Amino acid sequence: NFVSSNMNVVNCLVLLLSIATVALASNAGPDEYFPAFHFRPPKNWINDPNGPMLYNGVYHMFYQYNPNASVWGDMNWGHAVSRDMLQWTNLPIALSPTEAYNKGGVFSGSATITADGPILDFSVQAGDCQGIAVPKNATDPFLVEWEYPSYNPIIPTEPSGLFGFRDPTEGWKDADGRWNILVGSGEANSKLGGALLYTSVDDTWKEWDYKGYFYSNDGIGNMWECPDFFPIPNSEKYTSDGRTYWLIKASACNGNIKEWWSVGNYTPNSSSNFQAVAAAMGQDSQMYDYGKFYASKTFYDSAHDQRVLWAFVGEMDSVQSYVARGWANMMNVPRAVTCEAVTNCHTIATYPIIQFNSLRYGQANLGNFNLAPGKNEHVYNLVTTQGDLELTAPINQFESGKTYKFGVYVMATEDLEEYTSVLISVTLDNENGLQVSFSQDLSHSSSSSGANKSIISGPVTVYPGEEEIHLRVIIDHSIVEAFIQHGRRAITSRVYPVAGNESKAIFVSNEGGSEVIIDQMQAWEVKSTNVEYTN
């Protein structure tokens, strides 16, 4: 049982966080698919990240958690803390459905740091209302215990004619002192989904006024979940007029279940609060990730001047399989959301935070080499199920009329009976110019009949003046995260090789019809970050 004394809790946590070291050994989890460096608690079901924040030097991760089973249900907010976003220490459940108004479960929301301390806002299934929680003891460095103010729920009902009222955002304060939050919603009898605006002049967040749609879009489904809205750090350096661009994001759960974003100008108290300058939501270019990546939430990491992106990565095998394992789902490697200078910040990239590189060790370098059509180059000096790979290929090698398809096989057996391929496809012609796409092919990832065998792919823009194609692939036992052009596009998937931890081989592959020049191929093992303190 968790130590009952709050002082003992704090002392134990200080000790753990001060002496924690990362293990070089392979995964110490309960089975061969359990991640070694992707965050999740030791057991049971998790989904949406909720209210990530940095407060008084400690990173907090809250998340949707079922404490009783490895399937969805009985929604609570789990809680963990970290000094670096890599090694996490689990704490007791932060929010549980203990009140009459939240008896249906404490659903997704956000964290806002105010002058009086942090506030967690959340949605509730029963009654479709919105509530808040505050720390019991704001001087506790780990904010272990939380309480619900008596004036909950702060928004008791959803607006007439709408449905799916849920998932309030982080609040932001305008120059006039007015607080703002967005809440996801939609219209049942139309294609329109959107984010609703609520404002307040009350620093206790007790009273809120409904202002209508803040932003909506009919191209991604008629209900928005987990909206997010934030200024992009340093965007004023890249915009043509020196303004700070803001990013709005929606998780669309009716229609194409993906994470959609747009970038634009924010003008408070205007008839059009947000004016998009990027392409419309619903286009391939406006997805955070082509793969299994949902319900994301960001926060501002003031220690490193970066906006950090978390999402949950769901299972892609049978319910029976993950029930038998006793756990389900995990978070992605934390990514930084950044402007792309080449488009004056009309586009973004999402890429692993630079701190993640501190987990790399045991570098293998293949250097420069040519790869013939149909050839697989075995990376003999790196055999692992938890690794980080980077590959570059010069763009000036691609010739008109030829086809190119190359990349890496990971989670592979030596005989290639099982493997997951991450491949780049390139064509060049006078009419269309350089056309690039990349994919994850799961069709050989597992011999299990219950594992997903799909091919996930999407187009990639390569801009004039860019000299190379860059691919990065991070693997961790049953998750593959791939990034091209330093995060311009990403694909995340889950794989379940029957060979388990024996699926350690890595190959550089050429599946195309033309020889490919690889400028550089580097790979590292990645340390485990299993530091746990659980109730």
Side-chain angles (χ1 to χ4, degrees):
N1 290 328
F2 195 85
V3 180
S4 58
S5 164
N6 191 54
M7 184 58 67
N8 285 342
V9 169
V10 171
N11 288 340
C12 289
L13 288 168
V14 169
L15 178 63
L16 281 166
L17 287 170
S18 63
I19 68 173
T21 56
V22 291
L24 299 188
S26 61
N27 179 39
D31 59 66
E32 66 268 31
Y33 302 132
F34 196 87
F37 54 84
H38 285 77
F39 172 77
R40 64 150 293 112
K43 61 182 180 180
N44 298 330
W45 171 279
I46 69 169
N47 53 285
D48 310 3
N50 295 149
M53 66 177 178
L54 172 63
Y55 186 67
N56 287 344
V58 178
Y59 293 98
H60 293 259
M61 169 68 77
F62 302 93
Y63 53 92
Q64 292 286 278
Y65 180 57
N66 182 350
N68 301 311
S70 56
V71 294
W72 185 89
D74 193 14
M75 286 291 97
N76 294 248
W77 277 36
H79 186 195
V81 290
S82 174
R83 292 292 189 188
D84 58 8
M85 292 182 282
L86 303 174
Q87 302 174 82
W88 290 92
T89 299
N90 285 311
L91 299 182
I93 290 170
L95 305 181
S96 293
T98 56
E99 308 299 316
Y101 63 85
N102 66 21
K103 64 184 179 181
V106 184
F107 282 62
S108 288
S110 305
T112 302
I113 298 173
T114 74
D116 297 321
I119 293 175
L120 305 180
D121 58 359
F122 57 87
S123 56
V124 177
Q125 182 187 43
D128 288 327
C129 62
Q130 315 300 315
I132 63 171
V134 295
K136 277 189 176 181
N137 178 8
T139 65
D140 170 9
F142 302 107
L143 304 178
V144 175
E145 296 182 290
W146 295 77
E147 60 186 358
Y148 302 115
S150 60
Y151 48 81
N152 268 309
I154 59 167
I155 304 174
T157 58
E158 68 181 347
S160 176
L162 302 179
F163 84 109
F165 187 55
R166 65 185 71 178
D167 310 335
T169 65
E170 175 184 357
W172 73 94
K173 205 172 192 179
D174 291 331
D176 61 2
R178 190 181 306 270
W179 281 104
N180 305 266
I181 60 172
L182 306 181
V183 182
S185 191
E187 298 181 8
N189 298 318
S190 77
K191 296 181 179 180
L192 189 68
L196 310 179
L197 175 64
Y198 285 80
T199 66
S200 177
V201 294
D202 178 4
D203 283 340
T204 68
W205 285 34
K206 182 179 180 180
E207 302 288 342
W208 290 87
D209 296 320
Y210 174 51
K211 299 297 184 180
Y213 275 116
F214 179 83
Y215 191 72
S216 59
N217 182 285
D218 62 3
I220 59 173
N222 69 337
M223 211 284 287
W224 282 24
E225 292 190 295
C226 303
D228 204 2
F229 185 63
F230 56 89
I232 305 173
N234 302 305
S235 56
E236 68 280 358
K237 298 178 182 178
Y238 308 108
T239 56
S240 58
D241 57 3
R243 294 183 64 175
T244 296
Y245 277 168
W246 289 60
L247 184 147
I248 190 165
K249 187 274 305 185
S251 304
C253 67
N254 290 337
N256 195 351
I257 301 177
K258 297 293 181 185
E259 297 283 283
W260 303 96
W261 60 268
S262 190
V263 166
N265 290 308
Y266 170 55
T267 306
N269 304 315
S270 70
S271 59
S272 180
N273 293 285
F274 177 77
Q275 305 89 37
V277 298
M281 291 181 179
Q283 299 185 32
D284 288 339
S285 61
Q286 305 310 112
M287 279 189 269
Y288 274 155
D289 193 297
Y290 289 139
K292 194 74 169 178
F293 187 92
Y294 194 65
S296 69
K297 186 64 64 176
T298 65
F299 77 100
Y300 179 61
D301 174 16
S302 58
H304 301 94
D305 191 24
Q306 61 184 348
R307 194 81 190 186
V308 178
L309 170 69
W310 293 98
F312 96 93
V313 181
E315 301 299 324
M316 295 178 69
D317 65 346
S318 66
V319 175
Q320 293 87 345
S321 294
Y322 60 76
V323 167
R325 290 195 293 270
W327 62 273
N329 312 328
M330 66 184 71
M331 301 302 174
N332 59 291
V333 165
R335 305 178 187 178
V337 181
T338 58
C339 275
E340 289 204 293
V342 69
T343 65
N344 293 324
C345 201
H346 287 199
T347 60
I348 61 162
T350 67
Y351 201 59
I353 59 174
I354 192 67
Q355 296 93 317
F356 178 79
N357 292 355
S358 67
L359 299 180
R360 292 169 162 180
Y361 74 102
Q363 181 178 1
N365 193 338
L366 269 66
N368 180 289
F369 59 95
N370 292 16
L371 200 60
K375 175 72 172 178
N376 296 316
E377 184 71 29
H378 193 172
V379 184
Y380 285 104
N381 50 347
L382 186 66
V383 179
T384 187
T385 54
Q386 49 189 82
D388 189 356
L389 298 69
E390 293 194 50
L391 176 151
T392 58
I395 289 175
N396 62 10
Q397 70 176 300
F398 303 127
E399 299 179 14
S400 182
K402 294 184 177 181
T403 59
Y404 303 85
K405 191 174 186 179
F406 61 97
V408 295
Y409 294 167
V410 295
M411 304 285 201
T413 53
E414 297 285 345
D415 59 5
L416 289 178
E417 284 295 312
E418 290 185 327
Y419 62 92
T420 298
S421 64
V422 183
L423 298 173
I424 303 161
S425 298
V426 180
T427 61
L428 177 64
D429 61 53
N430 293 331
E431 181 177 351
N432 298 307
L434 186 71
Q435 299 291 302
V436 180
S437 65
F438 91 131
S439 64
Q440 281 195 38
D441 187 342
L442 312 186
S443 57
H444 300 284
S445 63
S446 175
S447 57
S448 168
S449 60
N452 188 298
K453 306 292 177 63
S454 62
I455 300 174
I456 307 167
S457 64
V460 180
T461 303
V462 176
Y463 294 104
E466 294 188 305
E467 297 180 350
E468 64 183 22
I469 301 290
H470 179 272
L471 176 68
R472 183 176 183 181
V473 181
I474 295 173
I475 58 173
D476 187 5
H477 295 271
S478 65
I479 181 171
V480 179
E481 294 187 70
F483 307 88
I484 191 167
Q485 300 309 86
H486 302 279
R488 185 171 299 154
R489 300 287 183 272
I491 300 176
T492 301
S493 71
R494 300 292 306 282
V495 298
Y496 309 90
V498 170
N501 284 332
E502 297 307 311
S503 297
K504 296 181 176 181
I506 298 170
F507 295 85
V508 184
S509 175
N510 183 356
E511 292 189 3
S514 306
E515 183 179 69
V516 173
I517 301 169
I518 304 298
D519 253 352
Q520 191 172 51
M521 168 67 187
Q522 300 179 88
W524 298 262
E525 291 195 68
V526 177
K527 301 171 187 177
S528 297
T529 58
N530 294 317
V531 180
E532 300 292 350
Y533 185 78
T534 59
N535 56 330

